[in-house]
Amino acid sequence: MLTPGPPARVLLLGGTSEIGLAILAALRLPPGTEVLLAGRDEQRMAAAGRQLGCSVRTIRYDATALATHQALVADAFAGGDVDLVISAAGILTSQAELERDPLQAGVLVETNFTGHVTTLLAAAGRLRAQGHGTIVVLSSVAAVRPRKANLVYGAAKSGLDAFARGLADSLHGSGVRLLLVRPGFVIGRMTAGMTPAPLATTPSAVGAAVAAALAGRRDTVWVPPSLAVLAVALRAVPRPLWRRLRR
Amino acid sequence: MTAVPAGSGQLLTGWGRTSASRATVLGPLDNEQIQGLVVSRPRGGVLARGAGRSYGDAAQNAGGYVLAPATMPFIELAADAASVRVSASVSFAQILATIVPRGRILPVLPGTADLTVGGAVAVDVHGKNQRADGSISAWIEEIELIDGHGELRSVTPGGDPDVFRATVGGMGFTGIIVAVTIRLLPIRSALLRVTSQRLPDLDALLGALADSRSRYAVAWVDTTASGGALGRGILDEGDHLPEPDPAAEKNGLAYRPGRARRAPAVPFCAVTPWSARGFNSLWFRKAAKSTSGVTGLPGYFHRLDAVAGWNRALGPRGFLQYQFVVPAGAERTLAEVIEAVQQERCAPFLGTLKRFGIAGRGHLSFPMPGWSLAIDLPAGSPPLAALLDRMDAQVAAAGGRVYLAKDARLRGAALRAMYGSLAEWQAVREKLDPYGVFRSDLGRRVGLC
């Protein structure tokens, strides 16, 4: 993105993502901005788009339909330069459910990791050619260390986190920037019915933190910021103790 | 037609070091090479870049070509030394070194001598004598321009007024400026008598600027002072000595800018609301109530040039300069902007106030009669974007405008509210560059290209 000016064209992957939409809201996009919402639920995207007050186009995007991702990116970039790509597609399924039906774990990994890789590699190529732009990747504190209570989700986020860090380095000097976002427990649709973990946050807090980080030059943002300290502690917990954690 | 040499991919920023983008950098090119490049209508477009001293993204063209330096350097002084024809990539310092020993001066000297003439014309640059002498567009005899058809045009203010008005201040969108002929003024001495006086508040500062009879006048404003001291500052006035100084100039007039020291790249930004306030207060207090002295051209006009790359010392996040002009009668807006940046704790660390007297001749020229205030601020503070958007609305409502050469964040709607001649400019640009060859990051951001 041409910071600190506002982005003119934005692509949100995961077009109904609460966090993704909260980032767009926090950016206070001017009415002339063109927002591309890419997701599965056209109706919900259209409704979300009306809230944004910019010109919105919805594109059908299935994170697990890997073969379609290159064409989707080509479509998004066909209308002009894209200044900001937000990779926010994600699902959360309970570990018990995944253990009952391991195939669903495969879908989770495809949605939360593999689909980001295929889409972002295609987008990064386009951004590199246009010489500017920003990618925002939504990782998680779960990427820090896998917990047995949430191990598939944690593994997928670890993969995404590592991919994003590597991609950021490969884009260095290209004019393209990658901002890696690691929220903690986010109270919202995805975590409905779950007991919030310590240092829980909200989609709008994540949105505000990302908007602030986009105005600066940081490459990683923790929400809340104190999670960065907690992450150091999480890594330091001895494994015999770690495996006794219940959640 | 000569082949265009292969360029190199480079990450470019403006002087404020925000908004980096990558482009293929070429140059210097001869006219035929530029024409060849333009008619090939490369994807991503073409832009000429001068010294890279515009603050934001005006001299960047992500994914396209950037010509830097655009042209082969030359300086041709007319036989009577009444004017000089120079290549667009020649800097003000190079011209001064040639003309000052001949007893001539450029009628407009911007705040750095590193600027190139091409860049200066593209932004219709002004100096400390804007009030009486206008901006550079008032002194141009001819612009040699390669337009979007690849045609080399001779553009004169009288012969081709439409193209002239669209090109001066036109931010490079009407073509590649390859050479410019500028009128010169005679001087008898390369020294200036400079007087400084400390003024306790904004009213006093505005009054002193308005009353100034000197050729050059500029005020430093303490943008961190509040309450009764709001807008206090120091007025610097300058005039060329009427006769050469027999002691200092017995061997004739000279322009000697001295070797610039290189600023270190500092990995953080030392400018905070506290340090900005401390530094500004100290600067104000240490100044004498009123002083007078004699100094050379670099000492008065280009003081910051003594530190090369001073922008790197302000940390990796970079900084913004918010420069705007409001008509006389809208002085209240000046105070409101200073107060607003203080309230949001944006750490304004440098303020510069000038009196403007003559509107620029370009459709997109910045100068208009009134007051120009420039405030330097560190980039990246979260409330800054929203704050400056509000300031844009106030400036536009007061009938003023923001300087595109300094801008990194203006929105298209605000630009349209500020620049009333935009439609006329667009009509001329449509003729000169119907294929949209000339493009920049700024142009895409605000919708100029």
Side-chain angles (χ1 to χ4, degrees):
Chain A
M1 181 172 67
L2 304 174
T3 50
R9 290 186 88 231
V10 182
L11 170 62
L12 173 60
L13 299 157
T16 57
S17 151
E18 275 183 299
I19 295 179
L21 291 167
I23 294 171
L24 296 185
L27 285 172
R28 301 185 322 105
L29 300 168
T33 313
E34 192 183 347
V35 175
L36 308 170
L37 297 179
R40 280 175 305 183
D41 191 333
E42 301 255 359
Q43 252 178 345
R44 228 164 63 200
M45 285 196 290
R50 281 192 289 276
Q51 308 285 315
L52 289 172
C54 334
S55 98
V56 174
R57 180 155 78 91
T58 60
I59 314 176
R60 181 156 170 81
Y61 172 58
D62 181 348
T64 63
L66 304 180
T68 64
H69 291 172
Q70 253 190 304
L72 172 113
V73 168
D75 176 29
F77 281 76
D81 284 10
V82 176
D83 303 304
L84 178 62
V85 176
I86 304 171
S87 202
I91 54 171
L92 178 60
T93 316
S94 79
Q95 185 65 29
E97 182 72 32
L98 296 181
E99 281 166 18
R100 254 198 313 278
D101 180 7
L103 193 59
Q104 278 200 56
V107 173
L108 186 144
V109 172
E110 283 205 330
T111 309
N112 290 7
F113 176 50
T114 320
H116 287 254
V117 173
T118 49
T119 313
L120 288 182
L121 281 179
R126 300 276 175 165
L127 292 167
R128 203 189 284 275
Q130 75 182 25
H132 73 98
T134 301
I135 300 174
V136 173
V137 175
L138 284 158
S139 176
S140 165
V141 70
V144 170
R145 193 170 179 179
R147 290 175 293 121
K148 64 180 185 191
N150 196 15
L151 69 97
V152 179
Y153 183 83
K157 284 293 188 189
S158 290
L160 178 62
D161 199 280
F163 168 75
R165 281 177 281 141
L167 185 61
D169 286 342
S170 89
L171 288 169
H172 186 80
S174 68
V176 183
R177 173 187 174 200
L178 189 146
L179 176 67
L180 182 56
V181 187
R182 296 198 189 109
F185 185 99
V186 179
I187 301 165
R189 206 171 61 224
M190 198 194 252
T191 57
M194 295 167 63
T195 324
L199 298 180
T201 184
T202 61
S204 63
V206 179
V210 171
L214 284 174
R217 289 171 71 110
R218 309 230 319 264
D219 51 15
T220 310
V221 58
W222 297 84
V223 196
S226 50
L227 268 187
V229 183
L230 181 72
V232 175
L234 291 181
R235 286 194 192 96
V237 175
R239 202 153 170 196
L241 216 61
W242 180 258
R243 71 170 72 100
R244 291 174 66 168
L245 289 179
R246 257 188 289 152
R247 48 173 294 163
Chain B
M1 200 165 283
T2 3
V4 176
S8 64
Q10 280 181 36
L11 198 59
L12 299 173
T13 71
W15 189 246
R17 302 178 78 218
T18 58
S19 331
S21 76
R22 198 175 176 88
T24 305
V25 177
L26 289 175
L29 304 183
D30 62 30
N31 286 358
E32 283 191 13
Q33 288 172 320
I34 296 174
Q35 288 168 312
L37 183 63
V38 168
V39 295
S40 76
R41 292 181 215 157
R43 219 180 142 263
V46 182
L47 181 74
R49 176 178 169 104
R53 292 299 293 252
S54 55
Y55 278 59
D57 49 4
Q60 295 166 214
N61 183 26
Y65 284 106
V66 169
L67 310 186
T71 54
M72 314 281 185
F74 66 80
I75 301 177
E76 292 170 9
L77 192 59
D80 60 357
S83 67
V84 68
R85 175 175 174 259
V86 297
S87 147
S89 63
V90 166
S91 74
F92 280 68
Q94 289 166 326
I95 301 175
L96 289 172
T98 305
I99 65 171
V100 170
R102 300 283 303 271
R104 293 291 183 274
I105 188 101
L106 285 158
V108 170
L109 290 173
T112 166
D114 293 339
L115 285 198
T116 66
V117 170
V121 172
V123 304
D124 193 9
V125 90
H126 61 270
K128 297 170 171 56
N129 54 338
Q130 205 292 332
R131 183 184 193 178
D133 296 329
S135 48
I136 199 162
S137 56
W139 300 90
I140 295 172
E141 292 185 343
E142 184 192 6
I143 299 170
E144 291 157 60
L145 179 81
I146 294 175
D147 68 14
H149 305 276
E151 202 175 301
L152 178 62
R153 289 167 168 264
S154 158
V155 182
T156 58
D160 209 345
D162 281 346
V163 178
F164 184 82
R165 292 191 64 201
T167 300
V168 292
M171 304 308 286
F173 297 124
T174 61
I176 306 289
I177 297 168
V178 293
V180 182
T181 306
I182 308 171
R183 271 191 289 153
L184 301 176
L185 294 175
I187 44 170
R188 300 269 296 143
S189 164
L191 299 175
L192 295 114
R193 157 118 1 240
V194 177
T195 60
S196 294
Q197 49 172 320
R198 215 164 71 162
L199 284 312
D201 57 39
L202 187 59
D203 282 347
L205 196 59
L206 292 172
L209 259 174
D211 294 343
S212 172
R213 293 287 162 263
S214 288
R215 174 147 177 193
Y216 305 102
V218 62
W220 166 81
V221 186
D222 178 355
T223 45
T224 62
S226 50
L230 185 91
R232 69 181 178 183
I234 300 166
L235 172 65
D236 280 325
E237 300 173 88
D239 288 287
H240 296 290
L241 294 188
E243 295 297 329
D245 183 323
E249 299 187 296
K250 57 177 181 288
N251 298 324
L253 277 53
Y255 174 73
R256 290 192 204 91
R259 262 180 75 120
R261 285 161 187 272
R262 185 110 195 121
V266 176
F268 60 90
C269 182
V271 180
T272 65
W274 296 282
S275 67
R277 195 179 176 104
F279 176 78
N280 275 275
S281 299
L282 194 69
W283 190 259
F284 184 79
R285 277 178 231 278
K286 82 154 219 356
K289 213 160 175 189
S290 155
T291 55
S292 178
V294 171
T295 183
L297 294 166
Y300 182 65
F301 289 104
H302 307 128
R303 228 178 287 175
L304 276 171
D305 287 354
V307 187
W310 59 263
N311 57 337
R312 300 186 316 147
L314 287 162
R317 282 179 149 194
F319 60 102
L320 302 177
Q321 187 181 86
Y322 190 66
Q323 183 171 3
F324 64 97
V325 60
V326 286
E331 288 78 7
R332 186 65 222 147
T333 309
L334 303 171
E336 281 165 359
V337 171
I338 298 174
E339 278 170 341
V341 293
Q342 290 175 357
Q343 269 158 20
E344 296 279 6
R345 308 183 54 71
C346 290
F349 58 90
L350 182 63
T352 310
L353 182 67
K354 287 187 214 103
R355 175 92 194 182
F356 278 6
I358 303 170
R361 297 194 181 176
H363 292 122
L364 300 183
S365 283
F366 170 65
M368 60 158 73
W371 301 99
S372 156
L373 177 63
I375 303 178
D376 289 48
L377 313 135
S381 102
L384 192 57
L387 168 78
L388 294 181
D389 286 345
R390 287 202 306 278
M391 297 304 103
D392 290 342
Q394 265 173 276
V395 168
R401 54 175 74 124
V402 163
Y403 195 4
L404 293 178
K406 308 294 180 73
D407 176 60
R409 29 74 41 202
L410 189 72
R411 297 176 183 233
L415 172 96
R416 290 187 287 279
M418 293 168 176
Y419 286 87
S421 310
L422 193 59
E424 289 154 83
W425 180 82
Q426 269 159 339
V428 183
R429 151 142 165 111
E430 187 58 36
K431 282 188 209 138
L432 289 172
D433 185 21
Y435 314 110
V437 173
F438 306 111
R439 297 166 65 179
S440 74
D441 289 358
L442 175 136
R444 279 186 286 269
R445 173 163 59 81
V446 298
L448 284 178
C449 66

